[in-house]
């Protein structure tokens, strides 16, 4: 990609220094960078002391057999004890751990003392169902407190969980049950979504008819919606029948720091899902530290809300493990942001006095599209830090988030990480960094990341290439479940001794890192590399565009040509001049080479349930091909809609 286009992207650059008040009382200050730089392992050994170990580790990192790392290997701890019991023992049993808000409007708050009792009962119940240390448990639940309780109960007895997002199909569930060889499944009759009770249990029943799932002995079912549910005697057990009668005390056993905590399958836009394996001590150390540092958590006064689903890594690390290890009070919301009205999220922020909010750019852009007047109706003055994760956040959305949700005063922290990294890796620190809209900026203290070119040379400031991690980190994935070779090949083969994240990135003149999307999302147009993200950012910076997705379509003349799908803002009209206006706008922003050849206004974009645009499907459309697999789409009717636009769709050839 040309430096000119990057310069243009960043010419909108403004800096926002941390609010003085926040900086004065920040959990983490500038000195953390120097401390970690001087002694990286010593820094992490110190962070591990945030946890309560039953055997303190003496060894920090064993990297004698790369890429297989061991962190704090001779330490022992119980993760659930760290997330729950120790807060009760410290006298904080009455503090709320989870404010649950159901989509229909029901709510329930669980204190740490109550959570301890629930987790203890659930741990006993799993043991009664024959779950032993090391056995895998699949969790397929809506966003209800039992999801958190189930994960912690598994952690408590050393049974790795494999949480499968509740929106996945029976087939996706079966693949994951088979790969992990799960013995027990925890599910619910259903959950509420967009005002409807949606069944979950039938997908489990169907998954269990598939070959390779025979080892599942029991299905533990939470009653949430009270809808009619088919029952297999001898296999299915109601949660309330078995969990509620268990003793409320349970003695946690200490496990090795490297004991597996969970497997989480990456949403994978191609190929078989990869079972990312995370272990205990290092994972909990980094999730706790980053949550403390990046959200500046003050557990006595903050109310924290991460809008992700527990089925994604964001939910694992920043709904469950990081916040609870830190003794935080969190909000857990079951439903969608627009149910029953488009102000639902802001109503929740107002109701609980949320101070720290963590969400995804796709949601921010949806809110932008619905209009500024919606959040303006609510009191959002409690908010003090806003986080973003999941994809590059275009400067337009970043500014909108800060202005309309954060009243122009809250820092926005753009956090880069992956399922594989387990915890945040690159992010501003809210009390230290002068933030830049659109950039994740710098590796967190203790993290070594850089940008390199094809020959593995570090690029100078102003240059672009591939994001790599150059030193092991505590919450790194340990392997791909059952496939060490795939682990080596996928992440460690492209560049020797470096973890290749699969993302393209640039360093600006200050050395700050800008993520440019997956490297497979870079287009080659007449010999120029152009990132889809840059063109999307340029389109979204036009006042009539709410959202954009860009793909490279095979083109006989230019190798690839740029094809853009755009969602217009509420009031914008799709008329003849519009497409030309948008093309001219991109050309002005990024240069004529980045001008889309075709622009198609559409009503929706195809996204995976974690909010990633499925460019593969848009490429199929752009190249007039039969659509590939749509099973990971949130809403498969989206593609039908887009395809109806196709014949004679707005295209322009020059
Ligand atoms: C990929 C990882 C991390 C939890 C949610 C997604 C993209 C993530 C950012 C960001 C630019 C980002 C990357 C990464 N990504 N955060 N702040 N800026 N890109 O987890 O499903 O494993 O996806 O999401 O492309 O590699 P995931």
């Amino acid at each position: 990609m040309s430096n000119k286009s990057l310069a243009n992207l960043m010419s909108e650059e403004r800096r926002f220094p941390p609010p003085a008040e926040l900086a004065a009382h920040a959990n983490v200050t500038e000195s953390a960078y120097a401390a970690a730089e001087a002694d990286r392992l010593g820094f992490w050994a110190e962070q591990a002391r945030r946890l309560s170990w039953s055997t303190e580790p003496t060894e920090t990192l064993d990297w004698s057999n790369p890429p297989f790392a061991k962190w704090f290997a001779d330490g022992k701890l119980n993760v659930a004890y760290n997330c729950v019991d120790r807060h009760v023992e410290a006298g904080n049993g009455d503090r709320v751990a989870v404010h649950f808000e159901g989509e229909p409007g029901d709510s329930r708050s669980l204190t740490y003392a109550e959570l301890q009792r629930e987790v203890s009962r659930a741990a006993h119940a799993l043991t009664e169902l024959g779950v032993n240390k090391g056995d895998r448990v699949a969790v397929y639940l809506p966003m209800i407190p039992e999801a958190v309780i189930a994960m912690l109960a598994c952690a408590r007895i050393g049974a790795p969980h494999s949480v499968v997002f509740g929106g996945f199909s029976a087939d996706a569930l079966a693949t994951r049950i088979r790969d992990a060889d799960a013995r027990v499944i925890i599910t619910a009759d259903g959950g509420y979504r967009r005002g409807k009770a949606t069944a979950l249990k039938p997908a489990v029943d169907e998954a269990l008819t598939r070959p390779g799932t025979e080892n599942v002995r029991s299905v533990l079912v939470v009653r949430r919606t009270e809808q009619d549910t088919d029952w297999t005697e001898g296999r299915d057990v109601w949660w309330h029948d078995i969990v509620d009668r268990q003793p409320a005390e349970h003695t946690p056993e200490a496990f090795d720091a490297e004991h597996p905590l969970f497997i989480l399958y990456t949403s994978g836009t191609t190929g078989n899902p990869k079972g990312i394996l995370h272990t205990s001590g290092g994972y909990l150390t980094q999730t706790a530290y980053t949550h403390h540092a990046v959200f500046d958590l003050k557990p006595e006064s903050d109310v924290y809300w991460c809008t992700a689903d527990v089925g994604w890594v964001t939910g694992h690390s920043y709904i469950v493990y990081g916040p609870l290890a830190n003794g935080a009070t969190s909000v857990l919301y079951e439903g969608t942001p627009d149910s029953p009205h488009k102000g639902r999220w802001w109503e929740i922020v107002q109701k609980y006095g949320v101070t720290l909010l963590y969400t995804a750019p796709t949601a921010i852009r949806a809110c932008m599209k619905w209009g500024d007047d919606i959040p303006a109706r609510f009191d959002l003055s409690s908010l003090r830090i806003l986080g973003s994760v999941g994809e590059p956040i275009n400067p337009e959305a970043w500014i909108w988030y800060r202005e309309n949700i954060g009243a122009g005063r809250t820092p926005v922290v753009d956090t880069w990480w992956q399922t594989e990294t387990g915890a945040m890796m690159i992010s501003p620190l809210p009390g230290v960094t002068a933030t830049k809209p659109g950039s994740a900026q710098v590796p967190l203290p203790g993290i070594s990341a850089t940008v390199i070119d094809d020959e593995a040379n570090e690029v100078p400031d102003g240059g672009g290439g591939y994001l790599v991690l150059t030193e092991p980190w505590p919450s790194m994935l340990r392997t791909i479940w059952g496939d060490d070779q795939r682990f080596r090949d996928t992440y460690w083969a492209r560049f020797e001794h470096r973890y290749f994240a699969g993302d393209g990135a640039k360093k600006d003149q200050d050395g700050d890192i800008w993520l440019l999307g997956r490297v497979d999302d870079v287009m080659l147009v007449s010999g120029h590399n152009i990132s889809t993200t840059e063109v999307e950012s340029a389109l979204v910076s036009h006042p009539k565009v709410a959202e954009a997705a860009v793909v490279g379509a095979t083109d006989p003349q230019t190798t690839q040509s740029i094809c853009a799908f755009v969602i217009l803002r509420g009031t914008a009209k799709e008329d003849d001049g519009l497409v030309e206006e948008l093309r001219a706008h991109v050309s002005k922003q990024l240069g004529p080479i980045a001008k889309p050849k075709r622009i198609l206004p559409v009503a929706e974009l195809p996204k995976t349930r974690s909010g990633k645009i499925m460019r593969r499907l848009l490429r199929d459309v752009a190249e007039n091909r039969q659509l590939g697999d749509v099973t990971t789409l949130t809403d498969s009717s989206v593609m039908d809609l887009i395809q109806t636009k196709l014949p004679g769709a707005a295209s322009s050839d020059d």
Side-chain angles (χ1 to χ4, degrees):
M1 173 186 339
S2 64
N3 277 329
K4 177 179 182 304
S5 60
L6 184 72
N8 268 314
L9 181 73
M10 297 187 308
S11 66
E12 306 185 34
E13 178 190 312
R14 283 157 69 188
R15 282 196 170 247
F16 298 91
E21 169 71 14
L22 201 158
H25 302 104
N27 286 349
V28 176
T29 57
E30 178 98 55
S31 63
Y33 292 106
E37 179 81 34
D39 178 8
R40 189 173 59 88
L41 295 181
F43 172 83
W44 284 119
E46 196 179 316
Q47 301 317 321
R49 285 185 212 111
R50 303 177 169 280
L51 308 182
S52 304
W53 298 83
S54 48
T55 306
E56 295 275 339
T58 60
E59 187 183 16
T60 301
L61 169 66
D62 174 356
W63 193 231
S64 57
N65 179 30
F68 302 94
K70 291 185 181 146
W71 282 86
F72 313 116
D74 62 347
K76 284 181 189 287
L77 79 171
N78 184 286
V79 168
Y81 172 83
N82 273 274
C83 292
V84 184
D85 306 54
R86 63 169 177 157
H87 306 309
V88 179
E89 288 170 16
N92 296 318
D94 292 337
R95 183 185 295 163
V96 171
V98 178
H99 287 296
F100 168 66
E101 181 79 13
E103 198 188 76
D106 55 323
S107 60
R108 173 182 170 198
S109 293
L110 276 153
T111 63
Y112 275 94
E114 287 165 331
L115 187 61
Q116 183 182 33
R117 292 194 284 273
E118 294 300 322
V119 172
S120 296
R121 290 195 180 103
H124 283 301
L126 289 175
T127 302
E128 186 179 316
L129 292 174
V131 179
N132 291 314
K133 170 181 167 182
D135 289 347
R136 275 80 57 206
V137 174
V139 175
Y140 185 66
L141 280 171
M143 286 281 287
I144 54 177
E146 285 78 4
V148 178
I149 294 165
M151 290 163 75
L152 291 168
C154 290
R156 195 169 185 99
I157 62 170
H161 53 70
S162 162
V163 181
V164 179
F165 173 60
F168 274 145
S169 65
D171 277 327
L173 177 61
T175 309
R176 288 158 176 77
I177 292 170
R178 190 183 311 119
D179 189 80
D181 191 15
R183 302 305 162 96
V184 166
I185 302 177
I186 307 179
T187 188
D189 49 359
Y192 292 97
R193 220 160 163 77
R194 297 190 198 282
K196 286 203 305 265
T198 311
L200 271 183
K201 173 75 164 36
V204 175
D205 293 338
E206 197 185 328
L208 293 183
T209 64
R210 303 281 196 274
T213 60
E214 299 80 9
N215 287 334
V216 174
R217 290 189 280 268
S218 312
V219 178
L220 184 54
V221 189
V222 177
R223 187 143 73 193
R224 167 68 182 143
T225 56
E226 305 188 8
Q227 62 203 118
D228 286 340
T229 301
D230 285 348
W231 209 249
T232 302
E233 286 306 329
R235 185 196 73 185
D236 300 348
V237 195
W238 284 112
W239 175 283
H240 55 265
D241 280 343
I242 187 169
V243 174
D244 292 358
R245 64 173 163 77
Q246 303 292 333
E249 286 86 46
H250 178 274
T251 310
E253 185 188 333
F255 301 109
D256 289 344
E258 283 296 342
H259 188 71
L261 181 61
F262 64 85
I263 302 166
L264 182 59
Y265 289 84
T266 48
S267 50
T269 31
T270 49
N272 279 338
K274 301 186 282 272
I276 303 302
L277 178 68
H278 283 288
T279 59
S280 305
Y283 171 80
L284 199 63
T285 297
Q286 193 174 330
T287 52
Y289 172 69
T290 51
H291 185 256
H292 161 87
V294 173
F295 284 108
D296 190 45
L297 178 82
K298 310 287 196 257
E300 315 74 34
S301 53
D302 275 320
V303 178
Y304 163 81
W305 181 20
C306 167
T307 67
D309 193 282
V310 286
W312 310 122
V313 76
T314 311
H316 283 60
S317 301
Y318 297 105
I319 291 178
V320 182
Y321 292 110
L324 292 174
N326 289 338
T329 296
S330 301
V331 171
L332 183 77
Y333 171 54
E334 179 183 30
T336 52
D338 53 352
S339 230
H341 58 83
K342 293 189 166 73
R344 184 69 190 272
W345 274 13
W346 317 122
E347 187 177 74
I348 293 173
V349 168
Q350 175 177 288
K351 173 173 175 183
Y352 294 102
V354 172
T355 58
L356 311 169
L357 178 68
Y358 196 21
T359 191
T362 176
I364 298 166
R365 286 192 299 264
C367 294
M368 272 172 86
K369 187 170 65 183
W370 296 336
D372 305 0
D373 54 315
I374 294 174
R377 283 179 218 144
F378 298 90
D379 178 5
L380 308 180
S381 61
S382 53
L383 288 167
R384 64 182 197 94
I385 297 172
L386 303 176
S388 171
V389 63
E391 52 175 317
I393 176 164
N394 46 294
E396 206 67 21
W398 195 106
I399 298 274
W400 187 90
Y401 193 25
R402 185 181 157 102
E403 296 295 324
N404 292 274
I405 307 304
R409 55 181 172 78
T410 59
V412 172
V413 286
D414 175 10
T415 64
W416 178 89
W417 58 293
Q418 309 178 295
T419 304
E420 292 87 342
T421 70
M424 296 169 187
M425 302 294 282
I426 304 178
S427 168
L429 286 176
V432 180
T433 319
T435 51
K436 278 181 193 173
S439 172
Q441 296 186 280
V442 279
L444 286 164
I447 299 301
S448 308
T450 191
V451 181
I452 62 178
D453 64 18
D454 274 313
E455 277 78 52
N457 301 309
E458 211 167 310
V459 304
D461 288 349
Y466 308 98
L467 182 74
V468 289
L469 304 170
T470 53
E471 297 289 349
W473 62 100
S475 64
M476 66 197 281
L477 77 167
R478 298 306 194 254
T479 189
I480 292 174
W481 182 256
D483 202 343
D484 287 348
Q485 194 53 44
R486 191 175 180 197
F487 170 59
R488 285 196 195 88
D489 294 345
T490 310
Y491 306 106
W492 303 91
R494 172 98 184 242
F495 301 107
E496 222 185 333
H497 308 308
R498 292 177 182 88
Y499 171 90
F500 175 46
D503 283 341
K506 289 246 178 190
K507 279 201 235 165
D508 69 15
Q509 295 303 340
D510 303 322
D512 281 328
I513 297 176
W514 293 67
L515 277 308
L516 298 176
R518 309 292 301 166
V519 289
D520 4 298
D521 295 341
V522 173
M523 303 169 289
L524 184 64
V525 182
S526 305
H528 296 265
N529 283 325
I530 298 171
S531 108
T532 53
T533 314
E534 272 185 312
V535 181
E536 286 162 8
S537 273
L539 283 164
V540 176
S541 72
H542 189 284
K544 290 185 185 161
V545 177
E547 199 162 349
V550 165
V551 296
T554 307
D555 187 294
Q557 266 107 48
T558 55
T559 316
Q560 286 190 311
S561 65
I562 302 176
C563 180
F565 298 79
V566 296
I567 300 179
L568 300 179
R569 286 225 197 181
T571 51
K573 285 270 160 315
E574 178 186 342
D575 55 41
D576 291 349
L578 179 77
V579 165
E580 260 330 298
E581 187 181 329
L582 295 181
R583 294 179 74 233
H585 177 75
V586 175
S587 177
K588 185 159 158 271
Q589 293 269 304
L590 300 177
I593 186 73
K595 178 156 74 172
K597 184 164 179 190
R598 301 168 79 191
I599 297 184
L600 284 82
V602 292
E604 284 298 336
L605 291 169
K607 290 195 185 143
T608 65
R609 303 183 205 238
S610 57
K612 293 202 187 344
I613 293 168
M614 289 188 74
R615 292 205 175 71
R616 173 169 62 76
L617 294 178
L618 292 176
R619 242 178 335 256
D620 290 346
V621 172
E623 297 178 349
N624 298 313
R625 250 199 318 275
Q626 181 112 56
L627 287 187
D629 179 28
V630 294
T631 54
T632 54
L633 272 183
T634 358
D635 175 6
S636 53
S637 63
V638 164
M639 289 315 295
D640 304 338
L641 257 177
I642 291 178
Q643 282 184 309
T644 60
K645 301 243 22 161
L646 264 191
S651 95
S652 137
D653 303 293
D654 59 329

